[in-house]
């Protein structure tokens, strides 16, 4: 074929649209709905074979919401709220995936989603003010606006342990769980990790396993979820109460239903404090964290008082006191890392066929053909599971080759930590919005806020006959400094975790969320929009 013909054929294969959204999870689906509401020609590029994002990929047994199903629901459609019945207060992955499919079908979103289309590169063409996109399967799209909705916990993190590829049994990362059921009966199973994912998965495996070995590096403050089915009467009450549920979420720091208690820990006597701790302990969900005294998040002594209460709750559930001490966290404050929510987790360690290996005392040296070799022993497995977490918040985005003005790479630009204005844009990347969820916030609550903000912004540009919007370097600088200053004194910064990026080798140590709280974030976004998008250059 002649060169000109080849170019024509290639050009013909480029799909030109107004908006491309990366990811068909909670944020991406609503963003698509909002773009279609504006009458724009919008597409989602989705790496998976279905919608759901987190709830598509994390299909391991036991995966479920840790926040109340109804506080995580979309609030924008009264019809959707009334038509959908949650069956549990903290519903499981299959139901959550069905819910997101229900939403996508109800609003006829799927015809606008390209599945199995992982974005490989996005290059800004300044002359044309368009983004040129290529997927790993060779699809080409050209768009005026590019919106990243890739989520915060999407890029899997595999540990750097020698020999991972050598293992001859079945092995997988929890967020790449097989679609067909995994049979644990009679099998020797190993699991590396003891974070929120492992804590949901372990009790499910332990129900029907030959032998289970858990490799724990850091013990966590796991708290009882206290899940329950929703009966008809409660269902009707939830549906009637939705305005109040969302009003409440709207008023709290992290947009969960729980709010920190404004009293100071040591203003109460020991007896009063312990009565309060028992009271919140008996409640379901995050009340044991976000319903505690507010100063546990800033005052080390207050934190330690509650932490010791939680440690004793853990100790009481494990028969062997030596084992109990291994499961009790002593190296970080309560709530400095994400609190895992559990159902029958600690009881698992009372089973004869479950072994805990403390890999701080006996580090993993390598993965062998048969299993895991530590300094002191080799453990043989049929199935080896990596519950080793994610390259959070920035990981998925920086794995895509995104190039802004002058060919600048986003990955290089963020090498020293992410820099944004309002978490929504980064200077030098015009018409590129980031709605990943980088605010410390109940996910759907803030996903709706940003999707509505972006749709308002694009609508404004269209009405004003403007073509391009980009954060100014000054606004970005000021916001980044402001965001960093908010974390001063917060207990999050006092330990290593994915919140701080420290679980990934070479990643800059910085608190990756906006820590000013959901109300302040919403207020700031609204203020910027009301000022004609102050801090952005519009042209
Ligand atoms: P994670 O919290 O980052 O935990 C990873 C685990 O792997 C940690 O125990 C870590 O130990 C361990 N690990 C990593 N590399 C290791 C190595 N080389 N050797 C030994 N151990 C190693 O990841 P996750 O459990 O997948 O949870 C991530 C986040 O997902 C949660 O914090 C939560 O926000 C979210 N999540 C949400 C839900 C829900 O809402 N329902 C459920 C599950 C997860 P160290 O602690 O020592 O680093």
């Amino acid at each position: 074929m002649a060169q000109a013909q080849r170019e024509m054929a290639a050009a013909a294969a480029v799909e030109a649209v107004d908006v491309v959204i990366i990811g068909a999870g909670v944020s991406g689906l609503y963003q698509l709905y909002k773009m279609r509401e504006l009458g724009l020609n919008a597409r989602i590029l989705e790496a998976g074979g279905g919608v759901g994002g987190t709830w598509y990929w994390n299909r391991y047994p036991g995966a479920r919401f840790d926040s109340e199903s109804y506080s995580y629901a979309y609030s924008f459609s009264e019809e959707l709220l009334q038509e959908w019945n949650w069956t549990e207060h903290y519903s499981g992955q299959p139901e959550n995936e069905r819910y997101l499919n229900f939403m996508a079908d109800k609003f006829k979103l799927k015809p606008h989603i390209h599945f199995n289309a992982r974005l490989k590169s996005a290059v800004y063409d300044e002359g044309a003010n368009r983004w040129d996109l290529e997927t790993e399967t060779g699809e080409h799209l050209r768009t005026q606006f590019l919106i990243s909705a890739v989520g915060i916990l999407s890029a899997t993190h595999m540990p750097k342990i020698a020999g991972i590829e050598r293992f001859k049994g079945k092995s997988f990362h929890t967020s790449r769980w097989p679609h067909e059921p995994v049979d644990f009966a009679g099998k020797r199973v190993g699991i590396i990790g003891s974070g929120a994912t492992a804590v949901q998965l372990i009790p499910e495996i332990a129900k029907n396993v030959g032998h289970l070995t858990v490799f724990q590096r850091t013990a966590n403050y796991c708290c009882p979820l206290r899940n329950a089915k929703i009966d008809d009467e409660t269902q009707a009450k939830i549906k009637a109460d939705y305005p109040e549920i969302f009003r409440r979420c709207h008023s709290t720091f992290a947009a969960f239903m729980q709010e920190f208690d404004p009293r100071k820990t040591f203003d109460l006597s020991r007896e009063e404090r312990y009565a309060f701790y028992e009271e919140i302990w008996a409640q379901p969900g995050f009340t044991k964290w976000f319903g505690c005294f507010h100063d546990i998040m800033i005052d080390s002594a207050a934190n330690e008082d509650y932490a010791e209460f939680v440690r004793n709750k853990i100790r009481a559930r494990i028969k062997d006191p030596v084992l109990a001490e291994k499961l009790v966290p002593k190296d970080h404050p309560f709530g400095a890392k994400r609190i895992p929510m559990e159902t029958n987790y600690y009881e698992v360690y009372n089973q004869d066929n479950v072994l805990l290996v403390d890999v701080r005392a006996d580090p993993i040296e390598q993965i062998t053909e048969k299993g895991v070799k530590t300094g002191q022993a080799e453990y043989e497995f049929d199935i080896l599971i990596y519950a080793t977490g994610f390259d959070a918040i920035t990981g998925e985005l920086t794995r895509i080759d995104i190039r802004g003005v002058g060919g600048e790479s986003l990955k290089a630009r963020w090498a020293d930590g992410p820099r944004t204005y309002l978490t929504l844009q980064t200077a030098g990347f015009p018409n590129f919005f980031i709605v990943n969820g980088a605010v410390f916030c109940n996910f759907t609550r803030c996903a709706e806020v940003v999707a509505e903000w972006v749709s308002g912004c694009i609508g404004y540009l269209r009405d004003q006959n403007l073509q391009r919007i980009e954060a100014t370097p000054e606004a970005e600088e000021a916001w980044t400094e402001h965001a960093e200053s908010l974390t001063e004194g917060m207990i999050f910064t006092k330990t290593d975790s994915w919140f701080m990026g420290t679980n990934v080798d070479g990643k800059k140590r910085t608190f990756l969320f906006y820590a000013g709280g959901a109300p302040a974030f919403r207020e700031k976004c609204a203020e910027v929009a009301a000022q004609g998008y102050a801090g952005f250059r519009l042209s």
Side-chain angles (χ1 to χ4, degrees):
M1 211 194 300
Q3 174 72 13
Q5 275 176 306
R6 272 203 299 274
E7 277 174 13
M8 270 169 63
V14 175
E15 189 181 5
V17 293
D18 301 320
V19 183
V20 169
I21 299 157
I22 319 167
V26 169
S27 301
L29 289 175
Y30 184 48
Q31 192 69 70
L32 176 61
Y33 170 86
K34 293 301 290 178
M35 294 295 100
R36 293 194 43 71
E37 200 179 49
L38 278 181
L40 296 172
N41 185 8
R43 294 281 175 281
I44 290 184
L45 295 177
E46 167 53 52
V51 304
T54 281
W55 302 107
Y56 170 86
W57 292 104
N58 291 274
R59 36 205 330 126
Y60 58 86
R64 63 176 60 255
F65 286 147
D66 279 348
S67 50
E68 297 68 29
S69 315
Y70 28 92
S71 81
Y72 193 100
Y74 290 112
S75 71
F76 70 93
S77 160
E78 183 57 23
E79 252 184 50
L80 178 61
L81 289 168
Q82 295 306 322
E83 284 170 14
W84 183 259
N85 293 324
W86 296 107
T87 66
E88 293 175 276
H89 286 271
Y90 304 90
S91 70
Q93 177 274 332
E95 183 167 328
N96 306 342
E97 190 185 14
R98 277 200 303 279
Y99 170 68
L100 292 164
N101 274 278
F102 181 80
M103 181 274 194
D105 288 333
K106 178 174 173 60
F107 298 108
K108 302 186 174 46
L109 300 179
K110 286 185 184 166
H112 311 285
I113 305 175
H114 297 200
F115 292 107
N116 302 305
R118 184 178 285 281
L119 184 62
K120 184 169 86 175
S121 65
V123 178
Y124 180 64
D125 173 347
E126 185 153 25
N129 187 33
R130 289 292 180 275
W131 284 91
D132 289 316
L133 314 182
E134 185 180 356
T135 67
E136 285 185 354
T137 40
E139 272 183 86
H140 290 262
L141 291 95
R142 187 160 237 244
T143 180
Q144 183 176 0
F145 297 102
L146 178 64
I147 305 177
S148 169
V150 298
I152 54 172
L153 295 158
S154 312
T156 57
H157 171 59
M158 285 294 281
K160 287 208 168 67
I161 305 175
I164 283 180
E165 66 300 336
R166 288 211 298 267
F167 181 63
K168 291 273 194 259
K170 275 192 191 159
S171 110
F172 26 82
H173 187 280
T174 44
S175 78
R176 293 295 176 271
W177 199 265
H179 283 231
E180 59 284 356
V182 180
D183 183 10
F184 296 111
K187 301 277 191 330
R188 298 162 306 169
V189 180
I191 174 163
I192 301 178
S194 56
T197 297
V199 165
Q200 290 187 331
L201 171 62
I202 286 167
E204 294 301 316
I205 300 178
K207 282 178 188 166
N208 183 25
V209 70
H211 190 276
L212 174 65
T213 306
V214 178
F215 295 90
Q216 172 191 275
R217 190 166 61 186
T218 308
N220 276 306
Y221 297 92
C222 310
C223 293
L225 179 64
R226 308 200 196 287
N227 188 21
K229 296 259 184 257
I230 295 176
D231 59 26
D232 290 349
E233 197 185 322
T234 313
Q235 186 80 252
K237 188 165 168 10
I238 290 167
K239 288 189 181 182
D241 280 355
Y242 268 126
E244 173 55 21
I245 290 170
F246 296 128
R247 190 208 56 73
R248 186 163 173 74
C249 292
H250 208 71
S251 70
T252 65
F253 178 82
F256 290 100
M257 287 173 71
Q258 299 81 8
E259 184 58 307
F260 286 108
D261 191 295
R263 290 173 296 174
K264 279 185 164 173
T265 300
F266 295 115
D267 284 352
L268 283 79
S269 69
R270 187 178 190 281
E271 206 181 11
E272 288 167 334
R273 295 199 302 274
Y274 266 65
F276 174 73
Y277 295 159
E278 289 291 356
E279 199 183 301
I280 57 173
W281 196 255
Q283 300 291 317
F286 281 138
T287 308
K288 290 139 221 127
W289 183 8
F290 300 137
C292 197
F293 299 123
H294 76 103
D295 58 354
I296 64 159
M297 299 305 282
I298 42 177
D299 177 338
S300 301
N303 189 290
E304 178 55 24
D305 193 63
Y306 185 57
E308 190 54 20
F309 168 86
V310 177
R311 290 186 198 115
N312 285 330
K313 288 287 181 198
I314 298 171
R315 288 182 180 113
R317 289 168 63 183
I318 299 149
K319 287 183 187 152
D320 173 352
V322 177
L323 179 60
E325 287 315 306
K326 289 186 186 169
L327 285 157
V328 166
K330 297 176 192 112
D331 60 353
H332 64 278
F334 178 91
K337 295 166 82 128
R338 159 67 145 82
I339 296 298
M341 303 304 293
E342 55 86 23
T343 305
N344 300 327
Y345 175 63
Y346 289 111
E347 285 69 19
V348 161
Y349 295 97
N350 295 330
Q351 287 181 212
D352 292 338
N353 63 344
V354 177
L355 174 71
L356 179 81
V357 177
D358 173 358
V359 301
R360 273 216 208 281
D362 183 18
I364 298 175
E365 287 184 346
Q366 54 173 301
I367 307 294
T368 65
E369 285 189 7
K370 292 181 183 161
V372 176
K373 190 174 174 324
T374 66
Q376 291 170 17
E378 181 168 2
Y379 302 87
E380 296 187 6
F381 301 118
D382 304 304
I383 302 173
L384 181 54
I385 298 162
Y386 294 92
T388 48
F390 301 88
D391 182 351
I393 305 202
T394 54
E396 189 67 22
L397 209 48
T398 52
R399 285 178 191 186
I400 304 168
D401 185 13
I402 301 177
R403 292 180 183 267
V405 173
E408 186 183 18
S409 134
L410 183 70
K411 185 177 176 177
R413 184 171 162 70
W414 281 6
D416 214 19
R419 305 182 61 74
T420 70
Y421 178 40
L422 296 177
T423 75
L424 294 172
Q425 269 213 350
T426 187
F429 293 74
N431 293 354
F432 174 47
F433 296 97
I434 304 164
V435 301
N436 292 354
V439 179
F440 192 74
C441 182
N442 189 354
F443 196 83
T444 315
R445 301 283 56 82
C446 280
E448 284 187 336
V449 171
V450 290
E452 286 162 15
W453 190 92
V454 168
S455 116
C457 175
I458 293 177
Y460 177 86
L461 296 178
R462 194 180 55 179
D463 295 346
Q464 303 291 317
N465 213 10
L466 296 161
Q467 299 297 321
R468 175 173 154 157
I469 178 164
E470 91 186 273
T472 66
E474 298 75 29
E476 179 190 271
E477 178 74 26
W479 175 263
T480 305
E481 263 179 34
H482 158 68
E484 278 170 6
S485 73
L486 289 169
T487 65
E488 230 162 81
M490 279 193 164
I491 59 153
F492 295 126
T493 59
K494 299 210 162 60
T495 193
D496 287 343
S497 74
W498 66 262
F499 286 171
M500 298 298 298
T502 46
N503 62 327
V504 175
D505 287 347
K507 197 164 170 173
K508 162 97 175 170
R509 189 178 203 282
T510 182
F511 188 64
L512 289 163
F513 282 112
Y514 174 70
F521 175 72
R522 277 194 311 267
E523 225 169 84
K524 183 69 187 167
C525 287
E527 182 188 304
V528 165
Q531 292 167 346
Y533 298 92
F536 291 95
R537 195 177 302 123
L538 280 61
S539 55

